[in-house]
Amino acid sequence: MNILLLDVDGVLVEDRGYRAGVIATVSHYSRLMGAGDADLDEAALDLFHAHGYTNEWDICPLAIGILIVEALIFAPGLDLRSAPLEGFLTQFKTYSRPNRSVFKYYVDQTDKVPGRPCERASSVLHSALNRTYLTGEARTAVEAVLHELLADPYDFEHATVTQTFQEHVLGSTFFEETYRRPPRFDTPSLLFNEDRAILDEQARLTLKRLAALDHVKVCVYTARPSLPPADAFNWLADQNHRPTGYPPEAELAVQLTGLDDYPLIAMGRMQWLAGKVKQKVESLTKPAPVQALAAIAAALTRHEAESLNAAYALVSRGTLIEPLIELKDRSVEVWVMEDATLGLHAAASAIDLLCQHSIDARLHAIGISSGGPKAEVLASLCDVVLPDVNAAIDHIAKAIAPDSKPCEG
């Protein structure tokens, strides 16, 4: 049995909207400091991704924390007082913005620290801060604002940077509809205006044919925000009853690529599970194995809620239940397409757990990158690194159905 897990951003979709959202968000805070727009570009964002910062909710607070610490390195004598983030930043008034090589230095340092992305970021920023002379009051103020930035970027109600990012990617109108809170800006949706599908028609049809012939079972597997499980609540059929705080960003991506017939295990599904089992959502998502196990099970059965429950049961209690128990006595080849390391680590951990429960499972890791530092990082973890999802689907089709003819549109 062949199971294919497809990441979204950087694989199925060219995530221009999210990248533009990071730049817009970090620049908003950089301008408050009097430094103008942040010096971030595609290469800098690729670097964050290559070092495990694949969720923009983690990237933005780290980048803003870097701006703060760098400002203090070059002006340690600033008279700073405790205040919420935006008021705190206006105390800097003006300073020279750091160039993109400074972001690289800090992101490289996070590789040396264990933990979740926000924990790694906090450790690196505090280490740099400890090498800077600050008065007691100023140090207290800086430590308080770093805590505000990094304590929990996934706690939407209290994470102002995450709120700012979400408003830019969703647009002010959709932000208000989704979160039931007044917008702070007047901005269109970067997600709607900028995202582009990478998956081409021939690759989509090849995937459809392989699935129809039962050569492969497919699940889309992403950290994008989404609705809860489709089979738990039919929110898509009744938009008037969509739950607060569940923007269908992953659903929009799969619709853009024509893959909305396949199951989806995305952030909203994980939020639903986290609420059910009383856990923090980030403890269940990539690089944790729960999300990957749920995606494997959902590919097998298309039952998302049941798959999420089974994944959690295996990780938390070591119990193999439906639908994962259906993998018993089968040979399972799991193909994962990823452009970043977190999803690969999650898939590898998931395969290890299945093997520990006497399931014959093997991982085929396919990195997606056209080159640069991201490709170098992926090469150490993947069987092969290919330039895009279309080449990857062709590679898989030849491996699992070598005698089948290519699909013509």
Side-chain angles (χ1 to χ4, degrees), residues 135-168:
T135 65
E137 185 174 7
R139 184 173 297 277
T140 298
V142 176
E143 289 179 347
V145 87
L146 289 180
H147 178 79
E148 179 183 345
L149 274 171
L150 297 163
D152 189 354
Y154 295 83
D155 179 6
F156 184 85
E157 289 302 310
H158 301 99
T160 56
V161 171
T162 300
Q163 294 168 15
T164 299
F165 173 79
Q166 284 300 105
E167 185 169 346
H168 280 90

Side-chain angles (χ1 to χ4, degrees), residues 238-359:
D238 188 356
Q239 291 290 318
N240 291 328
H241 292 88
R242 188 173 65 234
T244 302
Y246 285 86
E249 298 170 34
E251 286 83 358
L252 291 170
V254 294
Q255 288 169 15
L256 178 65
T257 55
L259 299 182
D260 38 341
D261 286 340
Y262 301 111
L264 171 67
I265 298 296
M267 182 62 78
R269 273 66 165 173
M270 305 311 296
Q271 283 178 261
W272 173 83
L273 177 64
K276 189 169 180 285
V277 300
K278 304 293 189 278
Q279 296 288 327
K280 284 186 174 293
V281 66
E282 61 267 31
S283 70
L284 305 177
T285 54
K286 308 175 185 181
V290 178
Q291 187 175 6
L293 286 166
I296 291 168
L300 181 65
T301 66
R302 294 178 173 264
H303 298 153
E304 294 174 0
E306 185 181 49
S307 297
L308 289 158
N309 291 330
Y312 186 74
L314 182 56
V315 172
S316 64
R317 303 192 302 273
T319 305
L320 197 62
I321 63 174
E322 291 286 349
L324 286 174
I325 202 168
E326 293 182 26
L327 298 175
K328 280 280 194 182
D329 303 319
R330 296 193 189 190
S331 178
V332 185
E333 311 290 332
V334 178
W335 303 78
V336 178
M337 286 187 209
E338 279 279 2
D339 75 325
T341 59
L342 293 186
L344 295 170
H345 289 310
S349 297
I351 296 299
D352 286 344
L353 271 171
L354 293 175
C355 291
Q356 290 170 26
H357 287 77
S358 303
I359 292 172

Side-chain angles (χ1 to χ4, degrees), residues 70-343:
E70 279 294 297
L72 293 169
I73 288 173
F74 289 98
L78 284 174
D79 181 21
L80 299 173
R81 300 181 183 279
S82 294
L85 177 63
E86 296 204 354
F88 174 84
L89 294 180
T90 61
Q91 297 178 82
F92 286 87
K93 294 185 174 58
T94 182
Y95 82 103
S96 298
R97 67 178 183 178
N99 61 39
R100 63 200 65 167
S101 66
V102 172
F103 291 106
K104 180 180 188 309
Y105 168 79
Y106 284 92
V107 175
D108 285 346
Q109 295 303 305
T110 64
D111 281 349
K112 302 173 183 178
V113 184
R116 295 181 293 129
C118 62
E119 293 168 340
R120 293 161 54 205
S122 180
S123 177
V124 168
L125 293 173
H126 277 94
S127 292
L129 189 64
N130 289 338
R131 297 191 295 272
T132 303
Y133 173 77
L134 293 171
T135 65
E137 185 174 7
R139 184 173 297 277
T140 298
V142 176
E143 289 179 347
V145 87
L146 289 180
H147 178 79
E148 179 183 345
L149 274 171
L150 297 163
D152 189 354
Y154 295 83
D155 179 6
F156 184 85
E157 289 302 310
H158 301 99
T160 56
V161 171
T162 300
Q163 294 168 15
T164 299
F165 173 79
Q166 284 300 105
E167 185 169 346
H168 280 90
V169 296
L170 291 175
S172 298
T173 299
F174 197 23
F175 174 87
E176 185 172 18
E177 292 174 0
T178 299
Y179 293 106
R180 311 291 197 270
R181 60 190 305 143
R184 296 176 55 228
F185 306 93
D186 182 13
T187 182
S189 169
L190 292 171
L191 202 63
F192 297 152
N193 292 343
E194 301 293 335
D195 275 4
R196 299 291 183 273
I198 300 173
L199 184 76
D200 65 26
E201 183 65 5
Q202 180 171 322
R204 188 186 68 80
L205 290 173
T206 297
L207 194 61
K208 182 178 180 180
R209 173 177 53 81
L210 291 172
L213 294 172
D214 208 27
H215 288 319
V216 67
K217 297 183 183 297
V218 180
C219 182
V220 179
Y221 159 64
T222 176
R224 270 198 181 208
S226 73
L227 297 174
D231 50 350
F233 305 100
N234 191 14
W235 301 115
L236 285 174
D238 188 356
Q239 291 290 318
N240 291 328
H241 292 88
R242 188 173 65 234
T244 302
Y246 285 86
E249 298 170 34
E251 286 83 358
L252 291 170
V254 294
Q255 288 169 15
L256 178 65
T257 55
L259 299 182
D260 38 341
D261 286 340
Y262 301 111
L264 171 67
I265 298 296
M267 182 62 78
R269 273 66 165 173
M270 305 311 296
Q271 283 178 261
W272 173 83
L273 177 64
K276 189 169 180 285
V277 300
K278 304 293 189 278
Q279 296 288 327
K280 284 186 174 293
V281 66
E282 61 267 31
S283 70
L284 305 177
T285 54
K286 308 175 185 181
V290 178
Q291 187 175 6
L293 286 166
I296 291 168
L300 181 65
T301 66
R302 294 178 173 264
H303 298 153
E304 294 174 0
E306 185 181 49
S307 297
L308 289 158
N309 291 330
Y312 186 74
L314 182 56
V315 172
S316 64
R317 303 192 302 273
T319 305
L320 197 62
I321 63 174
E322 291 286 349
L324 286 174
I325 202 168
E326 293 182 26
L327 298 175
K328 280 280 194 182
D329 303 319
R330 296 193 189 190
S331 178
V332 185
E333 311 290 332
V334 178
W335 303 78
V336 178
M337 286 187 209
E338 279 279 2
D339 75 325
T341 59
L342 293 186

